[in-house]
Amino acid sequence: MSVDMQCLDIQCEELSDARWAELLPLLQRCQAVRLNDCGLTEAQCTDISSALQANPALTELNLRSNELGDAGVHRVLQALQSSSCKILKLSFQNCYLTAAGCGVLSGTLRSLPTLQELHLSDNPLGDAGLQLLCEGFLDPQCHLEKLQLEYSRLSPASCEPLATVLRAEQDFKELTVSNDIDEAGIHVLCQGLKDSPCQLETPKLENCGATSDSCRDLCSILASKTSLRELALGNKLGDVGIAEMCPGLLHPSSRLRTLWIWECGLTAKSCGDLCRVLRAKDSLKELSLAGNKLGDEGARLLCESLLEPGCQLESLWLKSCSLTAACCSHFSSVLAQNKFLLELQISENRLGDAGVQELCQGLGQPGSVLRSLWLGDCDVSDSSCGSLAATLLANHSLRDLDLSNNCVGDAGILQLMESLRQLACLLEQLVLYIYWSLEMENRLQALEKEKSSLRVIS
């Protein structure tokens, strides 16, 4: 829980009547009110509405994961319709909002000209609810920039109303759909974007039923929408789809900064296409290929591109990509020579001790600049801890290290602790979600007190 004059932030706390009475005065003066997963129901919404009506400073209201229902949301919205309301961010994610409540919310949007972000994911809105919301989005007084609609029971039928909003609104910057809208729906959204004056920066289309055929539309958007900065996909695109999309990524007008392609059925073949993008586009800073069976060959191709002068990637996620120790010598070269890569996420790959020791050789070089390394669930044992301990003293850039869910025991942790307590070790966060003895847990807590710059998460 966090409480100050600016922000009331409470998560996962069942609120007793006494505790609720204590919090209500804070709702009247905090700029940001976040009551996430606090067991709130329709009954408390009357209190919330009354408190917020007395709060002209409110700019953020987050009531995520509470059973408010349509009636409860309605009561809260009544407090926001004052002419003095200056709210910027509003979240009713997972609040049991249905199509019946969307009519009220749509009407409220007309009286909230300052609202920039609206989070409605994990509610059963359906196509009927989305249609009502779009009527509110089209109102001249609505200037929404960010809309999240993940898992809201939308079908392809919802895409035409959304496309109409995109064509009409100049303010939209981020749209998260993540519903089963399939190829037809994605095609309609892309057509809306082509005709749109909006400077959309972040379309997130994970788990939308996109296929390789959808990538032709995405390629066109990447080439024509110069405002795009982030694209998130999580569908069965396959290698064919990536090949279709890469010309858009390579287009001179494309300035994409972040590309997330999760669980899309890719193999090492796609890495060959993506490597051309990495070498040609210094604007690309973050790439995630998590959950694809790239294998060691795919990793080798990516590492070769990371050593090219045209590649300025800063974050690479290869979690659960079927990697083994065989690719770690390539990563070691990257860690030793690359001057841009700051984060490497390679958890859930069977690297083993041999692979981790290869990585340590690269990390131990004077030129290493990596700040975050994720090695959770990588078959690491005590045998690697000597190399890791030495690396922590030799390396001056690493700040975050994740060793969760590995076979590291007390003996290995004691080796790490010897380095962690040294002034030469600059690590700031060590993540160790591993079963410990009570004695080791006490030692780790004592280490944190001894070295205030270090945080151990266990």
Side-chain angles (χ1 to χ4, degrees):
M1 182 191 76
S2 172
V3 179
D4 58 39
M5 290 300 292
Q6 300 298 317
C7 179
L8 171 63
D9 191 346
I10 300 178
Q11 300 187 42
C12 305
E13 180 183 337
E14 288 293 329
L15 304 176
S16 65
D17 291 343
R19 179 70 167 132
W20 185 238
E22 175 188 339
L23 292 176
L24 282 175
L26 298 176
L27 269 65
Q28 298 180 22
R29 62 175 186 265
C30 288
Q31 285 187 348
V33 174
R34 304 177 192 129
L35 300 173
N36 298 334
D37 195 9
C38 290
L40 301 180
T41 65
E42 178 187 340
Q44 280 92 19
C45 290
T46 300
D47 293 337
I48 293 173
S49 182
S50 298
L52 295 182
Q53 282 177 337
N55 184 353
L58 186 73
T59 58
E60 178 183 349
L61 177 62
N62 189 333
L63 299 176
R64 176 172 58 85
S65 297
N66 291 290
E67 295 186 27
L68 307 186
D70 295 326
V73 170
H74 185 187
R75 291 184 184 181
V76 173
L77 291 174
Q78 288 176 330
L80 305 180
Q81 297 185 50
S82 165
S83 59
S84 63
C85 180
K86 299 294 186 291
I87 194 163
L88 301 173
K89 301 178 182 180
L90 180 60
S91 175
F92 290 120
Q93 180 179 346
N94 191 26
C95 284
Y96 294 79
L97 181 67
T98 73
C102 289
V104 175
L105 178 54
S106 179
T108 304
L109 291 171
R110 297 180 174 90
S111 58
L112 296 178
T114 59
L115 187 66
Q116 297 175 356
E117 298 186 18
L118 180 60
H119 302 256
L120 298 175
S121 298
D122 303 303
N123 287 295
L125 309 179
D127 296 328
L130 193 279
Q131 176 68 56
L132 291 169
L133 289 172
C134 286
E135 293 173 8
F137 299 150
L138 289 169
D139 190 275
Q141 293 301 309
C142 180
H143 302 289
L144 203 65
E145 297 180 3
K146 183 175 181 178
L147 175 63
Q148 291 191 353
L149 294 168
E150 296 176 277
Y151 310 113
S152 298
R153 300 187 186 176
L154 307 183
S155 77
S158 286
C159 293
E160 188 56 55
L162 279 173
T164 300
V165 172
L166 291 174
R167 289 188 185 98
E169 296 297 320
Q170 300 186 21
D171 299 304
F172 259 95
K173 290 186 171 62
E174 180 174 327
L175 175 63
T176 305
V177 180
S178 299
N179 287 265
D180 192 13
I181 58 174
D182 68 39
E183 293 174 16
I186 291 172
H187 177 73
V188 169
L189 285 179
C190 287
Q191 288 299 119
L193 276 174
K194 281 183 184 179
D195 305 332
S196 171
C198 79
Q199 298 300 299
L200 191 71
E201 297 176 359
T202 307
K204 296 184 179 181
L205 302 171
E206 298 163 295
N207 298 319
C208 285
T211 67
S212 57
D213 290 338
S214 306
C215 291
R216 297 191 188 96
D217 290 313
L218 293 170
C219 177
S220 177
I221 294 301
L222 287 164
S224 62
K225 249 357 210 184
T226 59
S227 60
L228 286 189
R229 293 295 178 266
E230 179 178 342
L231 176 62
L233 302 168
N235 305 274
K236 301 302 179 185
L237 307 180
D239 296 328
V240 173
I242 296 303
E244 290 276 5
M245 196 166 60
C246 277
L249 292 167
L250 287 165
H251 195 276
S253 66
S254 175
R255 302 300 296 167
L256 204 69
R257 178 182 175 84
T258 301
L259 178 61
W260 287 55
I261 312 177
W262 288 58
E263 298 179 357
C264 287
L266 310 187
T267 69
K269 186 176 186 337
S270 286
C271 292
D273 291 314
L274 290 169
C275 284
R276 291 189 293 123
V277 178
L278 287 173
R279 290 192 293 266
K281 288 291 186 178
D282 59 7
S283 57
L284 189 62
K285 303 301 182 186
E286 300 180 24
L287 175 63
S288 173
L289 299 172
N292 292 290
K293 294 185 178 180
L294 309 180
D296 295 329
E297 175 61 13
R300 181 188 69 80
L301 292 170
L302 292 170
C303 286
E304 288 180 357
S305 295
L306 286 166
L307 292 173
E308 292 287 335
C311 177
Q312 296 186 16
L313 199 71
E314 296 176 0
S315 175
L316 177 61
W317 280 48
L318 297 176
K319 181 179 180 180
S320 189
C321 284
S322 302
L323 310 183
T324 73
C327 69
C328 289
S329 61
H330 303 296
F331 281 118
S332 183
S333 297
V334 169
L335 296 176
Q337 300 175 48
N338 183 288
K339 301 303 180 188
F340 298 98
L341 192 67
L342 303 176
E343 179 181 28
L344 180 60
Q345 162 57 288
I346 47 177
S347 296
E348 297 182 24
N349 289 291
R350 303 191 69 177
L351 307 182
D353 293 319
V356 171
Q357 287 163 17
E358 287 271 14
L359 297 177
C360 286
Q361 291 184 23
L363 284 169
Q365 299 303 308
S368 179
V369 299
L370 195 77
R371 293 184 63 87
S372 298
L373 178 61
W374 303 66
L375 294 172
D377 200 4
C378 283
D379 291 345
V380 181
S381 75
D382 289 348
S383 299
S384 296
C385 290
S387 298
L388 284 167
T391 300
L392 291 176
L393 294 178
N395 180 285
H396 300 299
S397 64
L398 197 65
R399 297 294 182 269
D400 300 295
L401 176 62
D402 177 15
L403 293 173
S404 300
N405 303 319
N406 283 293
C407 301
V408 178
D410 289 1
I413 295 304
L414 287 173
Q415 287 183 289
L416 293 174
M417 288 176 65
E418 285 302 314
S419 292
L420 290 168
R421 60 170 44 99
Q422 303 299 317
L423 291 176
C425 177
L426 300 179
L427 197 74
E428 295 175 357
Q429 180 167 281
L430 177 63
V431 183
L432 293 170
Y433 287 119
I434 303 171
Y435 176 75
W436 306 115
S437 64
L438 179 59
E439 178 185 357
M440 185 55 64
E441 188 72 35
N442 291 334
R443 289 195 183 195
L444 288 168
Q445 291 175 2
L447 175 61
E448 281 190 291
K449 292 178 181 178
E450 177 184 334
K451 193 169 185 179
S452 58
S453 61
L454 176 67
R455 183 185 180 205
V456 180
I457 301 177
S458 60

